[in-house]
Amino acid sequence: MLSVLDLMLSRFSYQNDIIVGTPLANRNIEGTEDLIGFFINTLPIRTKVDEEQSFKELLSSNSLKVQGVQNMQDIPFEQIVKSLNVERDSSRNAIFQVLFSVQDFSKEIKNSNLFSGINQGLTGNSAKYDLSVMVENGYISFNYCSDIYKKTTISSMLNTYMTLLEKLLVQNNVPMQNVGKVDVVARGDVVNYPKKNSG
């Protein structure tokens, strides 16, 4: 599901270098499993999307990256930011602006009517990230920053994501560029924003 999100984000942003944050339980140290408290660490996963590759190749590459990140989940996010020497900006996350979180997989997600009960409630009231994609109890929700995205854009992103999920289940061996070109709107618009003034 993360790989499909990467592909969708690549198409909407016209970029092939995608970084998505994902929360990890961070309870892999013996003795922390039964402790009460907040141990979640959100770490970035970087993906290079090449639409000439098959989705199966992207999925395989991403699986290795996710395993690598899981093995490093004890590293605090702040330490990563510091080691990368990223310039801090209080208005946004230092490394990623999109969060992807899977709480659980319900039976509805696994059946043949993929996501037939999708939650169409798009929420934009309070957003910690530019876009958060949450999968929970068989529903997908997009929480987004309404200062950045229009509801129509998010609806198009959601529709594209769902279409890609359905098509890539059966077309995972063909080049991704041949899969899921829904419509012109789903491709997004190229917008040249003015550069930020430092003073």
Side-chain angles (χ1 to χ4, degrees), residues 2 12 53 128 134 153 166 170:
L2 172 62
F12 273 81
Q53 287 185 320
K128 185 174 180 181
M134 310 291 198
T153 303
E166 291 170 358
V170 293

Side-chain angles (χ1 to χ4, degrees), residues 4 7-8 11 51-56 160-183 186-187:
V4 177
L7 176 57
M8 185 273 289
R11 289 186 176 180
E51 289 211 33
E52 292 182 2
Q53 287 185 320
S54 70
F55 180 70
K56 193 178 250 185
T160 301
Y161 184 64
M162 296 308 302
T163 300
L164 287 171
L165 276 171
E166 291 170 358
K167 290 191 174 184
L168 288 168
L169 281 176
V170 293
Q171 293 180 290
N172 59 13
N173 254 334
V174 300
M176 289 180 285
Q177 61 192 6
N178 299 338
V179 179
K181 295 293 173 71
V182 183
D183 55 33
R187 194 64 186 149

Side-chain angles (χ1 to χ4, degrees), residues 122-135:
L122 305 171
T123 55
N125 297 333
S126 175
K128 185 174 180 181
Y129 301 96
D130 293 355
L131 176 65
S132 297
V133 178
M134 310 291 198
V135 179

Side-chain angles (χ1 to χ4, degrees), residues 82-94:
K82 189 175 180 181
S83 67
L84 290 174
N85 199 23
V86 177
E87 187 177 331
R88 300 306 296 255
D89 181 346
S90 60
S91 69
R92 61 190 311 141
N93 187 286

Side-chain angles (χ1 to χ4, degrees), residues 71-83:
N71 291 336
M72 306 277 190
Q73 63 183 289
D74 299 332
I75 300 172
F77 179 73
E78 291 303 317
Q79 187 176 329
I80 295 171
V81 173
K82 189 175 180 181
S83 67

Side-chain angles (χ1 to χ4, degrees), residues 27-121:
R27 288 181 181 266
N28 57 331
I29 300 171
E30 191 174 338
T32 60
E33 301 91 345
D34 298 324
L35 288 177
I36 297 172
F38 190 74
F39 289 86
I40 291 177
N41 191 16
T42 304
L43 295 177
I45 298 175
R46 186 177 195 174
T47 303
K48 298 277 189 174
V49 177
D50 178 0
E51 289 211 33
E52 292 182 2
Q53 287 185 320
S54 70
F55 180 70
K56 193 178 250 185
E57 291 172 299
L58 176 65
L59 191 60
S60 175
S61 171
N62 258 5
S63 293
L64 292 174
K65 288 176 188 172
V66 169
Q67 287 173 19
V69 168
Q70 286 175 333
N71 291 336
M72 306 277 190
Q73 63 183 289
D74 299 332
I75 300 172
F77 179 73
E78 291 303 317
Q79 187 176 329
I80 295 171
V81 173
K82 189 175 180 181
S83 67
L84 290 174
N85 199 23
V86 177
E87 187 177 331
R88 300 306 296 255
D89 181 346
S90 60
S91 69
R92 61 190 311 141
N93 187 286
I95 298 177
F96 57 87
Q97 286 74 51
V98 177
L99 181 82
F100 178 73
S101 173
V102 177
Q103 298 300 322
D104 63 14
F105 287 101
S106 77
K107 290 179 181 176
E108 285 100 52
I109 289 178
K110 294 177 181 175
N111 72 17
S112 57
N113 272 331
L114 184 65
F115 297 103
S116 57
I118 183 169
N119 180 0
Q120 295 290 350

